[in-house]
Amino acid sequence: MSYKIAVYAIAKNEEKFAERWANSMSEADEIVVLDTGSDDRTTDILSSYPKIRVYREIIEPWRFDTARNRALSLVSNDADICISTDLDEFFEPGWREGIEKALDKGAQKIRYRYTWNFLSDGREGTVFIADKFHARRSFEWRHPVHEVITYTGEGEPKTVFADGVRLLHKADDKKSRASYLGLLEMSVAECPEDDRNMHYLGREYMFRGRYSDAVKTLKKHLALKSATWADERSASMRYIALCLFRTGDSDGAAAWFMRSCAEAPHLREPWLNFAYFCYDIKEYEAAAALINRALKIKTRPDTYMNESDSWSEKPYDILSMSYYYIGSLPKAREAAEQALELAPDNERIRNNLRCFG
């Protein structure tokens, strides 16, 4: 069966990514971009591709959901599937075949493998399953920031995983995200019972060093009746612990780290965060025990809660140093060798290994 596949995106000052994105999306039948105020060459680059239709509109007041819904409205009504991407994302070639196979199964919403970031040596960092591809009708974006595509029809949409489809994300780390906090505060004000947004707001306060506000907000998240996902609850608990530690309350931090581990013992992150805390306060035996517990977890989850550091050389590196301070040089050497296997260009770890004999 022949399908019409449409790609749509919003853009502002993305000239450094525009060509890569346009070439990556070329397997689509229709490509629509809503430019929301670029003052660089973004629109010139995109407009040079015959298949791409570029529109311009200033969204005031700015909201990501409003912008994405406007972009979606520009997609032809006869599209079978709408592929929402950002200009700093790109597909591995051959992605159309996976989308068509999902459509053969009656997909109204499509899940796919998403690489959110990469480590400095080029290895994949955080990888999870995303679901932003959807049918043309009965879907809309909601929330001012960290927006989600939402089904507005009856029941649940048929959701299919697209084998072989990989969307990759390489962001501009210099681009300002200054608006996120205000938009998150707006989002929580609009939907105070939305556990996801409450969690994100608490995390954002933590990122900005507003530790008191972060603790208060993350506790609100944990108190919500809808906050039932153990992975996210555990993350809120360890963020509370980190905030308390950074404000000098080590005892309180330890208690919340323990709660975090108990909430989601199947994740590496709570065990490792607790371990790094113990390492920082020079409790090296506890740090080693916690890291070894974390390393027993061999299955990497497919949600955004997995953090790239947890699957990098870092746990083995900290483990080697913990063993060194304990006085167990053979174990320190073994852990450092494992760290170096994952990061062969890390000279510090290589020098540590020499010191361990």
Side-chain angles (χ1 to χ4, degrees), residues 20 33 62 72 87 90 102-103 116 149-150 171 182 187 203 236 268 274 282 305 315 326 338:
R20 183 185 68 187
V33 177
W62 174 259
L72 175 57
L87 265 72
F90 59 100
L103 290 171
W116 186 76
I149 190 67
T150 306
S187 188
R203 186 183 68 172
S236 282
R268 280 190 177 187
F274 195 4
K282 298 181 170 53
M305 284 300 169
I326 292 169
Q338 290 172 300

Side-chain angles (χ1 to χ4, degrees), residues 198-328:
M198 189 71 76
H199 170 78
Y200 277 141
L201 177 58
R203 186 183 68 172
E204 191 71 18
Y205 282 138
M206 179 188 71
F207 288 160
R208 293 168 183 261
R210 292 175 55 174
Y211 299 126
S212 177
D213 289 331
V215 169
K216 186 185 304 182
T217 304
L218 292 165
K219 286 182 177 179
K220 285 183 180 179
H221 165 248
L222 295 170
L224 290 173
K225 291 181 180 179
S226 58
T228 59
W229 184 25
D231 297 23
E232 196 168 68
R233 289 180 59 82
S234 175
S236 282
M237 291 171 184
R238 59 189 171 89
Y239 294 160
I240 290 172
L242 289 169
C243 291
L244 293 176
F245 179 46
R246 290 168 185 171
T247 54
D249 185 0
S250 293
D251 290 342
W256 278 99
F257 276 128
M258 284 188 276
R259 288 186 63 178
S260 177
C261 292
E263 187 73 26
H266 56 284
L267 298 179
R268 280 190 177 187
E269 284 73 17
W271 300 104
L272 291 175
N273 277 202
F274 195 4
Y276 301 154
F277 160 76
C278 290
Y279 182 83
D280 286 341
I281 63 172
K282 298 181 170 53
E283 294 287 346
Y284 300 118
E285 290 188 2
L290 288 162
I291 292 173
N292 280 317
R293 172 62 178 81
L295 293 175
K296 289 180 180 179
I297 300 170
K298 305 297 185 184
T299 302
R300 186 171 180 167
D302 60 6
T303 72
Y304 79 93
M305 284 300 169
N306 86 80
E307 296 175 359
S308 55
D309 276 353
S310 301
W311 303 89
S312 71
E313 74 282 356
K314 183 176 180 179
Y316 294 101
D317 182 23
I318 302 299
L319 180 61
S320 72
M321 294 304 300
S322 298
Y323 280 136
Y324 170 78
Y325 287 121
I326 292 169
S328 180

Side-chain angles (χ1 to χ4, degrees), residues 11 33-38 40-47 53-59 70 74:
V33 177
L34 178 66
D35 186 276
T36 61
S38 294
D40 63 3
R41 296 182 57 249
T42 299
T43 59
D44 293 336
I45 295 170
L46 295 175
S47 297
R53 304 199 320 270
V54 181
Y55 300 84
R56 297 172 179 82
E57 181 178 349
I58 303 300
I59 307 296
R70 286 290 299 122
L74 301 170

Side-chain angles (χ1 to χ4, degrees), residues 36 89 94 104 128-129 135 141 163 177 196 204 270 275 283 288 299 309 322 326 333 349:
T36 61
E89 298 172 339
D104 286 341
F128 56 91
I129 303 302
W141 291 92
D163 289 316
R177 270 72 177 174
R196 175 179 175 273
E204 191 71 18
E283 294 287 346
T299 302
D309 276 353
S322 298
I326 292 169
R333 187 182 312 114
I349 296 175

Side-chain angles (χ1 to χ4, degrees), residues 26-40:
S26 63
E27 296 177 36
D29 301 296
E30 177 182 12
I31 307 174
V32 175
V33 177
L34 178 66
D35 186 276
T36 61
S38 294
D39 54 18
D40 63 3

